[in-house]
Amino acid sequence: MFANYFDDDRRSSPINLAVARWVLGVWLAWKTVFYDWPLLLSGVSRAMAHDEFDPLIPLSIPWILTVEKWLLIGFVLLVIVGYRIRVTALVSAALAAHLGVIRGTVVSSGEVNSLFIGSAFLVFIALYPEDDVLSVDGLRKARSQSLDSLVARLKSDEDRSYRMSAMKYSLLTLAILFFSTGASKVVDGGGPGFVAPDNLSRLVFLRTYVYPWNDIPLLLVEHPFLGVLGGIGTLVLEFGFLVAVLVGVSITPFVVGLVLFTLSNVVLLGIFFVDNLFFLAVFAAFDGAYRRLALDREIDLVFDEHCLFCARSLYPFKLLDIDGTVTFYSQYDAPDACTERSEVDLGRAMYVFDGQSGYEGYEAFRELLRQNRLFSPLVWVMGLPPARSVGRRVYRYVADNRSRHFACRPAELE
């Protein structure tokens, strides 16, 4: 369910890095947009602030924090789509860290620390942008390749391997932070005192008294041994997570346990620290889920190897075909079963062949998307009469004018 990138930072698909970037970006945008940052610099809030942070706090122009917030959201959206990742991720990290410092002058809690954790993740993403091929940057880089190079990549059936360096160091960082949290519990709790029968029970009782939430926490007060088990389980998860990462064993039991621990804090203590859920979700094996949604069928795709636009358009499908179920052919090396059909004109359009069935142009793109159930809603929309009518016309126009508008190489130059 979850990948230990520290043990092996290579995957057969770039999907995990792309989805992780999306999860982190959505979390940071959500985290930032609801804060009223100038309010932190109001008279009441400043009375609580720490003087050592004054050089970083724009007291005379508090509105600048609103500008900074929307700048951060804008850069984060660029990170989500993967545009100029090295720059946008670094700028996002710096802005998030600065806003975290501002909020940290008033509130010293996990919700503030999470901004710094997110900043660290963004820095790692910025340091290794070349790994993230399923992004705007990756597709722009593919556009700089020659037609021959793109065609060769489409036809290649060699094993593919994608580095996940950013995920590797982000995972190690998160595991160290959980370990330090466990260590602080032991130190502040006087060693074994953290798992003493009355420790968690006392905390639950006080939280329930101050913040009435529900009656479930009172079970820990009535049965202290449950508090002991909870304390031991917490330390095992927080210490064991780093051990599992370093040793190279599965981290899934620890991640699942930490998710349940986070949810239990909501039920027992009324602490809604959902940031952990986003951080842990970053390391889910999304490629495994994507693979399970793939159709168990193999198809042949025949395209015009002289058309640079065609090769660029098909490159993302090559990246998404993580099981190699699509075989790419040019019109010159296509199987006879494809070329001998009377209704097939390989010079007119791209074709997808599924056994005895052949699909031309727009319908071929629909079949490519149909290869994975994840795209079923899009396939359904593309099949609606209005969308299909417009789509076929657009495809026909592009195909008929590709040599004029899309720098395709004439066949006679071969």
Side-chain angles (χ1 to χ4, degrees):
M1 291 179 61
F2 295 87
N4 188 344
Y5 293 101
F6 193 81
D7 177 52
D8 183 7
D9 66 348
R10 292 185 178 273
R11 305 291 287 189
S12 60
S13 166
I15 291 176
N16 283 5
L17 189 54
V19 178
R21 171 170 36 82
W22 184 87
V23 170
L24 183 63
V26 168
W27 163 79
L28 186 53
W30 164 78
K31 181 82 173 176
T32 306
V33 72
F34 292 109
Y35 278 153
D36 186 353
W37 296 98
L39 182 63
L40 296 177
L41 302 185
S42 64
V44 175
S45 297
R46 277 302 299 145
M48 302 170 57
H50 304 291
D51 293 338
E52 61 266 27
F53 293 111
D54 280 352
L56 297 174
I57 302 174
L59 291 175
S60 59
I61 47 173
W63 55 265
I64 198 67
L65 294 182
T66 299
V67 175
E68 194 170 336
K69 175 181 80 170
W70 290 110
L71 278 176
L72 172 58
I73 293 173
F75 277 102
V76 165
L77 293 178
L78 293 177
V79 172
I80 289 175
V81 300
Y83 179 75
R84 299 198 180 277
I85 298 174
R86 190 182 298 277
V87 175
T88 56
L90 277 178
V91 173
S92 298
L95 291 173
H98 180 246
L99 292 175
V101 169
I102 298 297
R103 188 160 179 80
T105 61
V106 177
V107 181
S108 57
S109 65
E111 67 161 314
V112 177
N113 295 332
S114 64
L115 287 171
F116 299 110
I117 299 174
S119 296
F121 283 17
L122 286 169
V123 169
F124 292 131
I125 289 175
L127 290 176
Y128 302 98
E130 64 279 356
D131 297 338
D132 199 350
V133 296
L134 200 57
S135 63
V136 171
D137 283 356
L139 299 180
R140 288 173 66 243
K141 185 176 180 180
R143 291 187 62 183
S144 66
Q145 298 183 36
S146 67
L147 175 58
D148 291 333
S149 175
L150 278 174
V151 170
R153 294 192 68 174
L154 290 174
K155 292 183 178 182
S156 174
D157 58 356
E158 64 183 12
D159 293 336
R160 290 165 293 177
S161 180
Y162 300 90
R163 292 288 300 272
M164 301 278 162
S165 302
M167 306 290 285
K168 173 181 179 179
Y169 297 113
S170 295
L171 176 62
L172 180 62
T173 299
L174 187 63
I176 291 174
L177 290 173
F178 272 112
F179 185 92
S180 64
T181 301
S184 67
K185 288 183 174 67
V186 173
V187 173
D188 296 340
F194 176 74
V195 298
D198 61 341
N199 185 52
L200 184 58
S201 298
R202 181 173 60 253
L203 176 60
V204 168
F205 180 78
L206 290 175
R207 292 283 303 186
T208 304
Y209 179 77
V210 178
Y211 306 103
W213 176 240
N214 57 70
D215 295 332
I216 297 178
L218 297 179
L219 292 175
L220 292 180
V221 178
E222 298 173 1
H223 306 282
F225 75 93
L226 293 177
V228 175
L229 293 178
I232 294 175
T234 299
L235 296 181
V236 168
L237 291 173
E238 294 181 337
F239 287 136
F241 187 27
L242 178 60
V243 174
V245 168
L246 296 177
V247 173
V249 299
S250 173
I251 63 172
T252 296
F254 297 95
V255 174
V256 172
L258 289 170
V259 169
L260 295 176
F261 167 70
T262 301
L263 296 177
S264 70
N265 282 336
V266 176
V267 176
L268 299 178
L269 303 176
I271 299 177
F272 295 83
F273 187 57
V274 299
D275 299 337
N276 274 347
L277 302 181
F278 285 92
F279 293 146
L280 295 170
V282 163
F283 306 103
F286 298 105
D287 52 357
Y290 179 83
R291 179 175 283 111
R292 285 190 288 273
L293 290 173
L295 293 183
D296 185 20
R297 70 166 183 172
E298 295 186 359
I299 60 176
D300 296 327
L301 185 148
V302 184
F303 67 100
D304 183 0
E305 68 176 19
H306 303 295
C307 180
L308 183 59
F309 180 76
C310 298
R312 289 173 176 173
S313 300
L314 293 174
Y315 180 66
F317 291 98
K318 181 70 173 181
L319 295 176
L320 292 171
D321 181 33
I322 62 179
D323 284 330
T325 59
V326 181
T327 303
F328 293 80
Y329 294 101
S330 70
Q331 65 269 50
Y332 299 110
D333 57 15
D336 293 340
C338 300
T339 60
E340 293 177 350
R341 301 186 182 194
S342 59
E343 73 278 10
V344 171
D345 182 1
L346 297 180
R348 170 181 167 82
M350 177 186 76
Y351 283 84
V352 164
F353 297 95
D354 176 15
Q356 297 300 316
S357 301
Y359 304 89
E360 175 186 343
Y362 177 80
E363 299 301 329
F365 274 107
R366 283 192 70 217
E367 288 305 307
L368 277 177
L369 291 170
R370 198 191 299 276
Q371 276 297 95
N372 196 285
R373 297 180 185 87
L374 179 66
F375 303 110
S376 294
L378 180 57
V379 172
W380 178 78
V381 171
M382 291 176 66
L384 296 176
R388 174 173 277 167
S389 177
V390 173
R392 286 177 173 177
R393 289 176 180 272
V394 171
Y395 181 88
R396 188 72 270 140
Y397 175 82
V398 172
D400 291 342
N401 296 275
R402 62 186 186 277
S403 61
R404 181 170 53 175
H405 297 311
F406 302 107
C408 294
R409 183 172 61 198
E412 56 266 21
L413 294 182
E414 289 297 308

